[in-house]
Amino acid sequence: MTAYEPPGAPGAGTDPAPGEDPVGYDAVVLAGGAARRLGGADKPGLRVGGRALLDRVLAACAGARSTVVVAAPRPTARPVTWAREDPPGGGPLAALAAGLGHTTAEHVVVLSADLPFLAGATVGRLLSALAASDADGVLLTDADGRDQPLVAAYRASALRRELAALTRDREDGADGTDRADLTGLPLRRLTGALRLTRVPDAVASFDCDTWHDIATARARIREHGHVLDEWISAAKDELGIDLDVDTGLLLDLARDAAHGVARPAAPLTTFLVGYAAGRAGGGPEAVAETARKAAALAGRWAEEAAAADAPPAPADATPDTRPDTR
């Protein structure tokens, strides 16, 4: 577990907003741990905010050219390439080597599968920092300043170089074993040989090792400042929608429909807007245009309602046009 501090939006960190990674990247997600502190539960499949932890991490690295998950295959919200260390359960270094073998990009994001607050903005921040430096990698640190090497972006060439060196050391018996693979080696054997840049982010680095961590994450998701964004993200994943829309615009439309027509008009109107936008091409511009038309219609209904509620003028009343002679 890494320490968790509530302030700030998930993935906000302390650095400037990320830019686009100029060369593209691959992602390796390690999802095959034993989860002993969870009693052997299927940790990647545990749900936070209605989504499996693994699916939340896959959403954060959706921009990857190729995503490799090192674990036994399972259903996921996004297509991935599956890999497995040999033997299974050989530890994080063996798993990383197995996943790295399926990648081709020079920049590789390496993630664990238990990061409920990881966001695409954080991935972009790591990649931008890596591209702007000559370091071998950029990783997050938690609230206590500890390195989180499984929330990081690396140069694949540096990873392959050091993994090969560790394998040679084992083959030569330099570490006192007679193994010829990476089984059982801790991650620090790799990261200790790399030139690393560190980015503090107490929220995005929060991982779920215990049931208390899971409960904390679930409570955080439902906090007022995050619940709508989390719900929209979960709904888009569940429905297979990859579309950025102006949430505020739709909320304003729902409010106008509820006030200008009737309360049940709010969900029905937003449904019709989505349907019409889909028929018109389905992009953000189509959503904005159909929402504008529906909002104008709701406004006309509100005007008519206001006019209908105004007291009518007496039928025999006529304006007095005589000049004032007082």
Side-chain angles (χ1 to χ4, degrees):
M1 170 187 170
T2 58
Y4 170 75
E5 293 183 352
T14 57
D15 281 22
E20 292 294 327
D21 181 48
V23 296
Y25 72 98
D26 291 335
V28 175
V29 181
L30 307 189
R36 293 183 180 88
R37 296 174 68 187
L38 286 166
D42 175 23
K43 182 161 67 169
L46 293 177
R47 297 186 179 276
V48 172
R51 289 190 290 169
L53 284 171
L54 176 56
D55 282 336
R56 298 182 70 89
V57 173
L58 294 179
C61 60
R65 298 190 314 190
S66 175
T67 301
V68 184
V69 179
V70 185
R74 65 171 68 221
T76 55
R78 295 176 183 272
V80 301
T81 298
W82 295 97
R84 202 73 168 112
E85 70 274 29
D86 185 20
L93 271 190
L96 174 57
L100 195 63
H102 294 268
T103 65
T104 58
E106 171 58 8
H107 292 180
V108 178
V109 172
V110 178
L111 306 167
S112 63
D114 61 351
L115 303 166
F117 304 133
L118 183 67
T122 304
V123 171
R125 186 177 300 112
L126 291 168
L127 290 164
S128 293
L130 180 62
S133 73
D134 60 356
D136 295 326
V138 180
L139 53 75
L140 293 190
T141 58
D142 65 17
D144 296 322
R146 292 175 296 195
D147 287 354
Q148 299 300 315
L150 296 184
V151 200
Y154 298 99
R155 299 188 192 279
S157 56
L159 292 181
R160 291 190 173 96
R161 180 190 70 228
E162 297 305 328
L163 288 170
L166 288 171
T167 301
R168 286 195 302 271
D169 287 347
R170 279 211 149 180
E171 290 174 344
D172 297 341
D175 65 351
T177 72
D178 57 358
R179 300 194 66 96
D181 57 33
L182 299 169
T183 299
L185 288 180
L187 271 172
R188 63 177 177 273
R189 291 287 300 275
L190 172 69
T191 56
L194 297 174
R195 294 174 298 114
L196 299 174
T197 297
R198 291 160 174 86
V199 176
D201 193 324
V203 178
S205 63
F206 179 83
D207 56 2
C208 292
D209 289 331
T210 67
W211 288 112
H212 176 74
D213 298 339
I214 294 291
T216 299
R218 288 172 173 169
R220 165 72 168 176
I221 291 301
R222 287 166 173 76
E223 288 178 2
H224 177 70
H226 311 299
V227 66
L228 280 181
D229 287 340
E230 288 291 344
W231 167 250
I232 293 298
S233 295
K236 289 197 297 186
D237 260 14
E238 189 73 15
L239 300 175
I241 299 171
D242 189 10
L243 175 68
D244 289 327
V245 297
D246 187 339
T247 305
L249 179 69
L250 295 178
L251 289 175
D252 288 344
L253 169 62
R255 179 203 62 206
D256 293 344
H259 291 173
V261 185
R263 188 173 297 276
L268 294 173
T269 304
T270 51
F271 164 76
L272 292 173
V273 163
Y275 183 78
R279 294 190 63 184
E285 297 81 5
V287 174
E289 177 61 15
T290 53
R292 184 194 64 77
K293 291 179 179 179
L297 177 61
R300 295 195 295 271
W301 273 65
E303 291 172 2
E304 292 180 13
D309 290 340
D316 58 351
T318 56
D320 186 354
T321 59
R322 292 174 298 172
D324 189 347
T325 58
R326 286 177 296 177

